[in-house]
Amino acid sequence: MEIFYWPLLDLLMWGFISTYLSTFQGALPKFIGFIIGALIMWDILFRSQQGLTISFLEDMWSRNLLNLFVSPLSVLEYICSLLVVSIIKLVFSSGMMIALAWLLYSYNIFELGIYIVPLAMNLIVMGWAIGIITTGIILRYGQEAEVLAWGIAFLFQPFSAVFYPVDILPPLVQTITRFIPSAHVFEGMRYVISTGTFPVEHFIWAVVLNIIYLILAIMFFCWNFKAVKKKGILANVGE
Amino acid sequence: MTRNNTKNKIIKMIIENVIEARGLTKCFGQVCAVQNIDFELRRGEILGILGPNGAGKTTTMHMLLGLTTPSSGEIKILGLDPDKDREEILGRINFSSSYVSLPYSLTVRENLLVFARLYSVKNKKEKIAELLSLFQLESIKNIPIRKLSSGQITRVSLAKALLNDPEILLLDEPTASLDPDIADKTKKLLSDKKDRDGTSILYTSHNMKEMEELCDRLLFLDHGRIIASGLPEDIIKKFGGENLEEVFLKIARKEQAQV
């Protein structure tokens, strides 16, 4: 469901809005291309986070976590396995979304060129970091925190400047966006569209911030894992 | 010389402790689930832990598996420290519980294959085929777990627990959802495993007859403390009952009366 259903719905809804907007005159057609591109790129982040978190939830729902944590599998190996599953799911969902955007709206995201790849990679890593933090919270607080799996990424959306440039945001929010990797990716994407050159500065900011995010996320997960073992509730996660 | 070696090996098997717990305690805030218990599991022995609900059986087992951090005390498993040698220890032991399941979307065979990889089992195909046959799972090997009954899942879980030929097997009520025929076969299988391979088994169950028949020694826990330990017949004698079930009922009802 998370691979096909939601991406399809997102694409249809936003695609139709874009089509409606395209009936207007002026500079809107370029804006429409950007909206679909931004939507596909945002979905990469969201699916990356969701793919990881839902794989964890599936282990939790099937009461399999105990079997995994009493095997020789280390916590880091477990996290790596979640990342791999997230990539596999992402390839299918994004692949389908890109193909549908091309079929339904004649939109080809690869027109942005090879520059799209490093930018998308940054979104994947940020999705992983958010996903690892989410699983850490669910591990600690159980079922009550499950809703975060579907909503936590959207917390970052207003600050990521997905559908609008950072300049239009209030000064305080603009300061916050400097520390959000996805904001640099979307600013970079707009830079590619308007200049056709690679946004080196935004790319470096995104990479550095993502490394910090990922390290902090893994530390947060390990800290929660330790706390859960201390509280003796690891065996009850999911019940 | 050979005779002496064999004799030494037998003596070593009898007295070697594969699990040693000293002063093991787990408190959750003001409530202590396990209080300062000492026990050991010997090589080739089945040690049963019994006690009423909330006695501390599962908490003890989870501390041994590294799922719960003890508040104090020391654990040695196969002579190793669980904090430092977690992966080595977990690769040489295994666990099964009727309260734990397996990934629903994978078939029986796929599940066993995943865990065979996790435990780095050599000759995976042969081992899985052997276990499928042993637990009479061949006819359902290609069926996803979500379509199986709880008894069938328990059998798959037991097969998973034997994948790595563990030196120590921790079993938390493993026969709880099995029919009497399969439960009896499982008991025989565990007994054979102990005799043939020298596997040490830590066993919890609420089936007192099963505990009496299967276990070499028993630990009776109540309110997190060991109130009796030894051979089943000695415990029965100590509390003055006909069998273990009577002893259990006596203790549980005494506790209820106190409440």
Side-chain angles (χ1 to χ4, degrees):
Chain A
M1 187 161 166
E2 81 264 20
I3 291 176
F4 297 108
Y5 180 74
W6 292 114
L8 180 66
L9 279 190
D10 278 347
L11 190 77
L12 286 174
M13 188 188 77
W14 284 93
F16 289 134
I17 290 171
S18 303
T19 308
Y20 170 66
L21 289 172
S22 73
T23 58
F24 293 96
Q25 299 297 312
L28 270 173
K30 197 173 180 182
F31 171 75
I32 281 138
F34 168 71
I35 285 280
I36 296 182
L39 176 70
I40 292 171
M41 293 288 272
W42 172 256
D43 211 72
I44 288 174
L45 186 153
F46 181 56
R47 300 297 150 196
S48 160
Q49 175 263 319
Q50 225 190 25
L52 187 147
T53 314
I54 291 194
S55 301
F56 171 80
L57 284 174
E58 280 167 351
D59 280 330
M60 199 172 106
W61 291 329
S62 62
R63 291 184 290 135
N64 183 45
L65 278 178
L66 225 65
N67 281 324
L68 294 174
F69 291 132
V70 300
S71 79
L73 187 75
S74 71
V75 175
L76 281 179
E77 285 169 335
Y78 180 63
I79 291 174
C80 286
S81 73
L82 294 178
L83 301 186
V84 172
V85 175
S86 148
I87 282 279
I88 295 168
K89 286 182 174 179
L90 190 66
V91 166
F92 283 102
S93 71
S94 296
M96 189 207 64
M97 210 167 177
I98 289 166
L100 279 175
W102 183 70
L103 278 171
L104 298 175
Y105 310 113
S106 304
Y107 178 81
N108 181 6
I109 195 160
F110 296 110
E111 277 176 9
L112 288 173
I114 194 75
Y115 301 147
I116 201 75
V117 177
L119 293 175
M121 292 287 283
N122 268 295
L123 292 176
I124 294 171
V125 177
M126 186 176 162
W128 285 347
I130 300 172
I132 294 167
I133 290 169
T134 315
T135 51
I137 298 171
I138 296 171
L139 187 70
R140 187 145 181 182
Y141 298 102
Q143 277 180 328
E144 286 164 13
E146 276 181 32
V147 70
L148 293 176
W150 287 270
I152 200 164
F154 288 101
L155 261 179
F156 291 84
Q157 202 178 37
F159 307 103
S160 296
V162 184
F163 303 110
Y164 39 77
V166 168
D167 299 344
I168 66 146
L169 296 168
L172 178 67
V173 182
Q174 281 192 35
T175 311
I176 295 171
T177 60
R178 290 183 66 171
F179 301 100
I180 311 256
S182 51
H184 290 280
V185 171
F186 287 103
E187 281 292 277
M189 188 182 144
R190 278 183 285 272
Y191 187 82
V192 173
I193 292 171
S194 57
T195 67
T197 52
F198 187 68
V200 179
E201 197 184 332
H202 282 303
F203 177 72
I204 292 170
W205 263 101
V207 169
V208 172
L209 285 171
N210 266 330
I211 291 169
I212 296 168
Y213 270 45
L214 201 58
I215 291 170
L216 290 177
I218 292 170
M219 283 168 67
F220 180 74
F221 185 91
C222 292
W223 175 64
N224 276 305
F225 189 75
K226 215 172 163 184
V228 161
K229 278 171 65 173
K230 201 173 171 189
K231 286 186 171 186
I233 52 173
L234 186 57
N236 307 329
V237 173
E239 284 179 5
Chain B
M1 190 70 183
T2 314
R3 188 178 287 174
N4 276 343
N5 279 347
T6 313
K7 195 178 162 191
N8 286 340
K9 202 175 164 188
I10 292 168
I11 290 168
K12 193 177 172 231
M13 273 182 70
I14 293 167
I15 60 163
E16 188 189 349
N17 292 335
V18 289
I19 292 181
E20 284 179 338
R22 300 281 170 256
L24 199 59
T25 301
K26 182 65 194 177
C27 297
F28 301 103
Q30 299 294 312
V31 182
C32 288
V34 175
Q35 300 183 59
N36 197 28
I37 63 169
D38 295 323
F39 69 92
E40 58 284 322
L41 172 67
R42 297 166 193 156
R43 189 171 289 280
E45 173 190 55
I46 302 182
L47 175 66
I49 303 184
L50 60 125
N53 289 333
K57 307 182 294 291
T58 303
T59 305
T60 302
M61 202 170 261
H62 287 173
M63 283 194 278
L64 297 174
L65 287 163
L67 294 168
T68 298
T69 312
S71 302
S72 61
E74 193 192 358
I75 298 171
K76 285 265 180 222
I77 299 176
L78 298 162
L80 301 166
D81 180 345
D83 288 333
K84 292 177 190 154
D85 308 297
R86 177 188 173 272
E87 273 130 60
E88 190 190 336
I89 292 170
L90 293 177
R92 293 167 66 186
I93 71 176
N94 215 317
F95 164 77
S96 176
S97 164
S98 53
Y99 304 112
V100 176
S101 191
L102 293 155
Y104 291 150
S105 54
L106 300 183
T107 65
V108 170
R109 203 183 163 281
E110 285 166 345
N111 263 296
L112 293 177
L113 199 59
V114 167
F115 281 96
R117 287 191 180 133
L118 281 180
Y119 283 93
S120 307
V121 174
K122 288 172 191 162
N123 305 321
K124 294 176 189 65
K125 279 186 183 171
E126 290 81 356
K127 190 72 199 172
I128 290 169
E130 179 197 324
L131 291 168
L132 287 172
S133 157
L134 201 60
F135 286 96
Q136 298 173 21
L137 296 165
E138 283 150 321
S139 60
I140 56 166
K141 68 180 177 187
N142 293 319
I143 296 177
I145 294 291
R146 67 170 173 270
K147 290 188 177 170
L148 302 183
S149 68
S150 56
Q152 287 170 324
I153 295 173
T154 302
R155 276 150 61 199
V156 182
S157 180
L158 280 165
K160 181 234 90 174
L162 295 180
L163 271 170
N164 59 331
D165 288 320
E167 290 172 59
I168 305 170
L169 205 45
L170 291 99
L171 303 174
D172 190 11
E173 300 192 41
T175 57
S177 51
L178 298 179
D179 66 52
D181 176 45
I182 298 283
D184 187 57
K185 283 177 181 162
T186 304
K187 277 187 289 177
K188 285 197 176 102
L189 179 104
L190 294 173
S191 208
D192 285 350
K193 194 94 185 114
K194 178 197 82 163
D195 295 336
R196 200 182 56 230
D197 304 332
T199 308
S200 310
I201 300 171
L202 194 68
Y203 199 93
T204 75
S205 172
H206 279 123
N207 185 332
M208 294 302 120
K209 192 168 174 279
E210 185 178 283
M211 295 289 262
E212 212 175 321
E213 285 170 5
L214 191 65
C215 299
D216 300 307
R217 275 192 314 131
L218 293 171
L219 281 185
F220 211 123
L221 289 183
D222 189 27
H223 287 100
R225 294 179 190 278
I226 298 173
I227 56 166
S229 68
L231 302 172
E233 52 268 32
D234 289 346
I235 290 183
I236 295 166
K237 204 185 278 177
K238 183 181 170 182
F239 288 93
E242 281 286 303
N243 51 40
L244 210 52
E245 181 127 16
E246 266 188 32
V247 171
F248 186 90
L249 290 173
K250 242 182 195 180
I251 291 169
R253 283 173 187 165
K254 189 178 151 196
E255 184 191 297
Q256 278 169 7
Q258 281 170 352
V259 172

